[in-house]
Amino acid sequence: MCNACGACVAACPTNAISIKEDTFSCNAVIDTNKCIRCGLCKNKCPQLTDVQFYKSINWYQGWSKDDSIRKKSASGGAARALAESFIHDGGCVCSCVFEKGKFIYVLTDNALDIEKMSGSKYVKSNPQDCYEPILDKLKHDIPVLFIGLPCQAEGIRRYVPEKYHEKLYTVDLICHGTPSRLFLEKFLNEHEVELNKLNDIKFRYSHEKRDDSYKFIDYKGIMDRYSIAFLYSLTYTENCYKCKFARGERASDITLGDSWGSELSGEMTRGISLMLCQTSKGESLIKKSELILKDVDLKRAIDCNPQLQRTTSVPSARMRFVDDVNLGKGVNRSIFRYLKIACLKQYVKKVFIRMHLIEPVGYMISYK
Ligand SMILES: Cc1cc2nc3c(=O)[nH]c(=O)nc-3n(C[C@H](O)[C@H](O)[C@H](O)COP(=O)(O)OP(=O)(O)OC[C@H]3O[C@@H](n4cnc5c(N)ncnc54)[C@H](O)[C@@H]3O)c2cc1C
């Protein structure tokens, strides 16, 4: 059930815990020689303890007033608009960046760093090193905004003692699950791309948001097999299939996602963020940010976003797929074996894109 949030690692007074990541799992491993049985790790773990969930007090859809922010973001750029406003008001922001092959968290009060955070990384990120620096800022009375996956946001909230919660703001993403970094690395290696050597990697593409300096795994507009398997939920780490955060009530101040099913269809290719606001703290943050806010049809938003209703279920082919990859049968080959129709559809799509009959848009890896 471990989600690798690292709250236990940060809380352990004897450094007895480390996270062991595998291709399809992650686990907190305790060195029993160092463990003093204080129980702090269990106490801080979002998986082993009950989580307090809250109903949203307000729902919005919208996008950043700044077109360049919207262009660089995965959907409407709400995350960056919130982050910039928070820094402008004297706070620090902590979120995920891609750096030297890793998806790590940085804590910053510099608006220039915020740009590097933009974009959804469809892979498990590692927040382990940000716990102590966040607490340190809070102890010095500096507000902190944490933006990350729901399990990680809860890890941070648990690690920080309650007396500092007033200045801690959490934004979580609607999330259907994450493959491990090791799985992504394996996939890229089969395409002779080394993750460690990349300057940047993106997981979504649209014509409006394009940057011609990036290369594609497959033909532009064609979903590569990593993205296909991601969307079909075949490749997540084990814990994601038991996720307790995939529901309408949330544990954060603000939740961000895509406004799937929006009636503002003309705006969709440029990106529309869905924003769920659980607290008055969150509400004031949204109102202060440079965002264009619109009403949202609540029922439609929930209907179009399964992760606001339930946890991703395990695909029937999952076990055989995991066995094949672990036996060295190849990531690309194994994805094709179990998601044949979805993979074959991409060949048809390629023909249509070449004939300029459809736009190249959607989930696909591009890199430089
Ligand atoms: C793994 C994953 C699964 C998702 N699944 C869904 C879904 O099912 N439905 C839905 O509506 N939305 C989903 N999203 C959210 C969506 O992709 C957008 O991130 C969201 O709409 C916010 O968009 P934005 O334009 O405001 O910001 P973005 O440009 O997407 O930036 C989002 C912020 O989140 C941080 N971030 C990005 N990737 C990660 C990561 N792997 N770990 C931690 N932090 C990260 C960035 O650093 C940035 O601060 C998912 C996101 C991720 C990362």
Side-chain angles (χ1 to χ4, degrees), residues 61-81 84 115 118-120 202 204-210 258-259 262 264-273 275 290-292 294:
Q61 57 180 340
W63 51 86
S64 164
K65 285 182 185 165
D66 182 337
D67 258 357
S68 68
I69 291 184
R70 196 175 176 193
K71 190 174 171 198
K72 288 219 160 114
S73 304
S75 60
R80 190 158 151 206
E84 289 199 350
E115 191 179 333
S118 289
S120 295
K202 287 178 188 285
R204 273 161 86 150
Y205 177 84
S206 75
H207 191 63
E208 281 85 351
K209 293 180 189 246
R210 75 187 181 281
D258 291 286
S259 193
S262 171
L264 307 168
S265 49
E267 292 286 346
M268 209 58 198
T269 52
R270 297 171 69 211
I272 311 179
S273 298
M275 293 161 247
E290 295 289 305
L291 281 163
I292 291 172
K294 307 270 179 193

Side-chain angles (χ1 to χ4, degrees), residues 176-191:
H176 48 85
T178 45
S180 79
R181 199 192 68 89
L182 293 178
F183 180 78
L184 173 65
E185 200 165 44
K186 259 192 184 155
F187 167 80
L188 291 174
N189 285 348
E190 286 185 17
H191 289 274

Side-chain angles (χ1 to χ4, degrees), residues 74-75 77-79 95-96 105 117 119-122 125 174 176 257-258 305:
S75 60
S95 197
C96 172
Y105 273 75
M117 295 172 179
S120 295
K121 294 97 182 162
Y122 294 128
S125 49
I174 300 174
H176 48 85
D258 291 286
N305 222 323

